[in-house]
Amino acid sequence: MAFEKSCGRQLLIARPHVVPKLDRGLFVLVCIVFVAIFAGFLAGLNLAWTAMAGAAVVMVLARRDTHNVLKLVDWHLLLFFAALFIVVDGLSDTGLPDALYSRLQAIFGSSVAAQAWNLTWFFVVGSNVFSNVPFVLVAGNWIARFTDPGLM
C-alpha cells in the first residue's frame, strides 16, 4: 500500500502483493542440509559447530552474494549474548550458585513430586527476576542433584 497526496488529501492506493518465486534448487539444498544437521545433532556432534557447518555449506553451495544476508545479522545482539555467556560462566566458576543451592536444597523437598513443583515455581520466579537465559544456565547445573534428574 502506498500513500499519495492529491489536493491536500491523502489517497490510499492498494498495490498487489508480489509473491517471490520459489527457488526449488535452493529449497532442496536447504532441506538436505537441514536433515544432515539434524542427523548430526542426533549423532551427538557438537551443536554449535554442526549448525555453523550447515550454514557454511548452504552459503557456499547456494552461490549467492552473502553480503546482503550478513548485513541482516544483528551483530550487537550476538556480542551481547557472547558477553552474557562469559559472565554467567564466570559467575558459575565462583562457586556462588553452588553455595546458594546448598542453602535452598531443603526448600525443594525430598519427594519427586515436591521437587518437581518447587523447582517449577523457583524457575518461573528466577527466570523473571534474573532473565531466563542466565538463570537457566546457572540453575540448570543443579538438576543432576535432584532425586529424579530425568524428570527435572
Side-chain angles (χ1 to χ4, degrees):
M1 300 222 178
F3 289 102
E4 290 186 10
K5 282 196 168 187
S6 173
C7 301
R9 296 181 302 178
Q10 290 184 349
L11 299 173
L12 185 61
I13 299 173
R15 295 188 183 151
H17 176 69
V18 179
V19 178
K21 186 179 176 191
L22 177 67
D23 183 346
R24 293 185 191 276
L26 183 60
F27 180 73
V28 169
L29 172 67
V30 169
C31 288
I32 290 170
V33 170
F34 178 75
V35 169
I37 291 171
F38 189 70
F41 291 165
L42 293 178
L45 297 177
N46 183 289
L47 297 177
W49 286 109
T50 305
M52 288 296 290
V57 166
V58 169
M59 290 179 80
V60 169
L61 294 181
R63 297 183 182 170
R64 304 266 169 96
D65 184 22
T66 57
H67 288 92
N68 292 334
V69 173
L70 292 176
K71 285 180 189 175
L72 298 173
V73 174
D74 190 349
W75 296 106
H76 294 101
L77 184 63
L78 287 177
L79 180 64
F80 168 76
F81 272 102
L84 177 69
F85 294 143
I86 291 169
V87 168
V88 168
D89 190 48
L91 175 67
S92 294
D93 288 347
T94 65
L96 182 64
D98 294 330
L100 181 64
Y101 176 75
S102 64
R103 294 215 172 180
L104 295 175
Q105 191 172 7
I107 293 174
F108 293 115
S110 58
S111 71
V112 174
Q115 287 180 348
W117 282 111
N118 291 331
L119 184 66
T120 300
W121 70 258
F122 186 75
F123 267 66
V124 167
V125 172
S127 292
N128 283 291
V129 170
F130 299 107
S131 182
N132 61 337
V133 173
F135 184 77
V136 169
L137 287 173
V138 170
N141 296 330
W142 303 342
I143 299 298
R145 301 178 188 165
F146 285 91
T147 304
D148 188 359
L151 175 66
M152 299 306 155

